[in-house]
Amino acid sequence: MMLPSDSRYSRQERFAPFGADGQQRLRAARVAIVGCGALGTVQAEIMARAGVGTLRMIDRDIVELSNLQRQFLFTEADAAEQTPKAMAAARRLALVNSEVAIEPHVADLTPSNAADLLENIDLILDATDNFETRYLMNDFAVRECIPWIYGAAVSSYGLKLAVIPGVTACLKCVYPEPPSGAQPTCETAGVLASVTAAIAALQCADAMKILSGAEFSARLSTLDVWSGEMRQIASPARDPGCVCCAARNFVHLDGSRRAPVSLCGRNAVQIHERARPINLSELSERLGKLAPVRANEFALRVALDAYELTVFPDGRAIIKGTTDVGIARSLYARYVGA
Ligand SMILES: [Zn+2]
C-alpha cells in the first residue's frame, strides 16, 4: 500500500479510519461554529488545521482581557482594540490555514436570522453558553436534518453529546425544559481552559467522524479534569412524545422576535429588539461629550456611571452592570435612541 504524500494533512490521512477519503469529504464540508469563546475558538483551530472546506463563525461579543486565559486564537491586542471575537478569530485562522473559507459573522443567533446564518451548513458545533440558543440550534438542526454537537463546560467539568436528527435523541428529548434553578456559570464558578479545550476536542472528533462518513454512534461523554473522572454512556433514548423531533413543533425557531435576553450570569442585558443600522462614528461623537468612548468599525463602548454600553452597527447593544431589563431599555433609549 502506498502512503499518501507528505501533504499538510498527511498525519491525519494516515490515520486509517479517517484516511484520504475522509480528508476529501472534510474538504467539501461546511461547518458552523455558534459562539466564539472557550469552546468555539478551540473547535475553530482544530477544524481549520484539519482542512474543513468552510468554517462559519458566529459570535455577538468582543474580545476582553478575561477571555485570554481560555479562549485560544485571541491576543492582548485583540482585547485592547476591542475586536469582535468572530473577526479576531477569522484573522488568526486565515494565517493558520489559507485553504479554508472562513466566514465570520458578528451577530447574535436569533429566530429571525437563524435560517440565513446557518444556510448551506453540513454540521453545527455548539459553543454557546446558554440554553435559549441551544434550543434554537436544536430546532433548526432537527427541521433541516443537520447533525449538531452539544457541548458545555464550567469549573472543571463538561460534557458533549452529538445530535443526529432522526437517529439520536435531540436536546429536547434530553432536556424538555432548561435545567431549573441557579446553575453555576463560568462567571460564578470559574472555568479551567483544560476542560473547555478537552470538550471542544471531543466535539471536533465527533464532527470529523460524522463528516468523514465513518460509522458513528452518539455517546454522551462527561469529564472532570480536576478529579480525573471520565464517563461515556450511550446516547439517551429518543422521547416518542418530544415536541421537537417527534411532533416537529419548532417553538424556538417560530418566534420571529424575542424579548431582550439577560446574559447568563454576566450582570448584563442584551438589547436586540431594534434591528436598525447605527452610525457608530456619529454616536461616538455624541456620547463622547458625556464620557470617554472607545470605538472601531465593529463596536463602540462607553462607561456611563455604573454601566457600560457596547453598541454594534446593527443596533444591538450589551449593557453591563445590570440584569434589569427595564434599566437596560431605558439606558438604551437615553443614550442610543428610542
Ligand atoms: Zn427530541
Side-chain angles (χ1 to χ4, degrees):
M1 191 190 98
M2 261 184 55
L3 286 176
S5 65
D6 203 18
S7 76
R8 72 185 293 158
Y9 307 115
S10 61
R11 301 307 185 272
Q12 161 176 308
E13 289 175 352
R14 281 174 203 167
F15 174 63
F18 186 75
D21 187 48
Q23 190 64 44
Q24 268 189 358
R25 287 172 186 237
L26 187 66
R27 179 85 200 117
R30 295 165 306 241
V31 169
I33 295 179
V34 181
C36 211
L39 294 174
T41 51
V42 176
Q43 293 164 359
E45 176 135 19
I46 292 175
M47 296 309 291
R49 287 187 188 275
V52 69
T54 297
L55 202 51
R56 193 172 299 163
M57 318 215 33
I58 304 158
D59 192 279
R60 63 190 180 190
D61 227 328
I62 62 180
V63 180
E64 296 181 42
L65 200 59
S66 67
N67 300 150
L68 301 185
Q69 161 259 348
R70 66 196 177 285
Q71 301 187 12
F72 290 40
L73 305 175
F74 303 147
T75 64
E76 290 177 357
D78 293 325
E81 292 160 15
Q82 308 190 76
T83 313
K85 291 180 176 183
M87 304 308 294
R91 209 153 58 188
R92 170 76 185 151
L93 292 169
L95 302 174
V96 168
N97 191 345
S98 59
E99 294 179 357
V100 179
I102 312 281
E103 301 178 356
H105 290 273
V106 184
D108 187 27
L109 189 75
T110 64
S112 47
N113 65 18
D116 285 338
L117 287 176
L118 299 176
E119 192 183 18
N120 287 328
I121 284 296
D122 301 310
L123 183 141
I124 304 168
L125 283 163
D126 168 30
T128 63
D129 58 1
N130 65 87
F131 260 82
E132 182 169 4
T133 311
R134 288 192 184 110
Y135 281 139
L136 178 62
M137 260 188 281
N138 187 63
D139 269 9
F140 183 83
V142 169
R143 193 185 75 182
E144 303 297 320
C145 213
I146 302 166
W148 75 281
I149 301 158
Y150 165 46
V154 68
S155 72
S156 62
Y157 56 88
L159 62 88
K160 72 100 179 109
L161 176 69
V163 174
I164 315 285
V167 178
T168 70
C170 82
L171 188 66
K172 277 281 201 186
C173 294
V174 184
Y175 301 104
E177 299 292 335
S180 61
Q183 298 294 316
T185 68
C186 297
E187 283 70 29
T188 59
V191 67
L192 297 178
S194 46
V195 71
T196 45
I199 291 296
L202 290 175
Q203 290 177 279
C204 287
D206 273 4
M208 287 180 60
K209 222 171 154 180
I210 293 166
L211 292 171
S212 71
E215 197 179 315
F216 186 80
S217 62
R219 288 180 160 268
L220 174 65
S221 308
T222 63
L223 66 89
D224 186 321
V225 296
W226 206 253
S227 70
E229 195 180 322
M230 300 183 193
R231 279 176 11 124
Q232 274 222 79
I233 57 166
S235 174
R238 287 184 69 187
D239 173 5
C242 176
V243 65
C244 176
C245 70
R248 298 188 70 77
N249 190 2
F250 305 116
V251 293
H252 302 278
L253 200 52
D254 287 346
S256 60
R257 292 168 82 89
R258 330 176 274 181
V261 180
S262 288
L263 297 184
C264 158
R266 290 182 47 176
N267 193 28
V269 173
Q270 180 180 224
I271 302 267
H272 49 62
E273 62 197 338
R274 297 164 215 273
R276 53 153 193 193
I278 288 201
N279 184 328
L280 289 187
S281 55
E282 202 178 281
L283 183 64
S284 176
E285 206 171 300
R286 187 151 53 85
L287 294 179
K289 292 169 188 152
L290 306 173
V293 172
R294 296 202 296 164
N296 56 31
E297 59 186 310
F298 308 115
L300 173 156
R301 180 175 280 188
V302 59
L304 295 154
D305 303 323
Y307 309 105
E308 185 185 74
L309 268 67
T310 306
V311 185
F312 297 88
D314 62 359
R316 196 164 53 83
I318 293 172
I319 293 135
K320 285 193 181 165
T322 182
T323 50
D324 185 317
V325 169
I327 291 176
R329 272 210 180 104
S330 85
L331 286 166
Y332 187 97
R334 192 181 321 157
Y335 296 113
V336 184

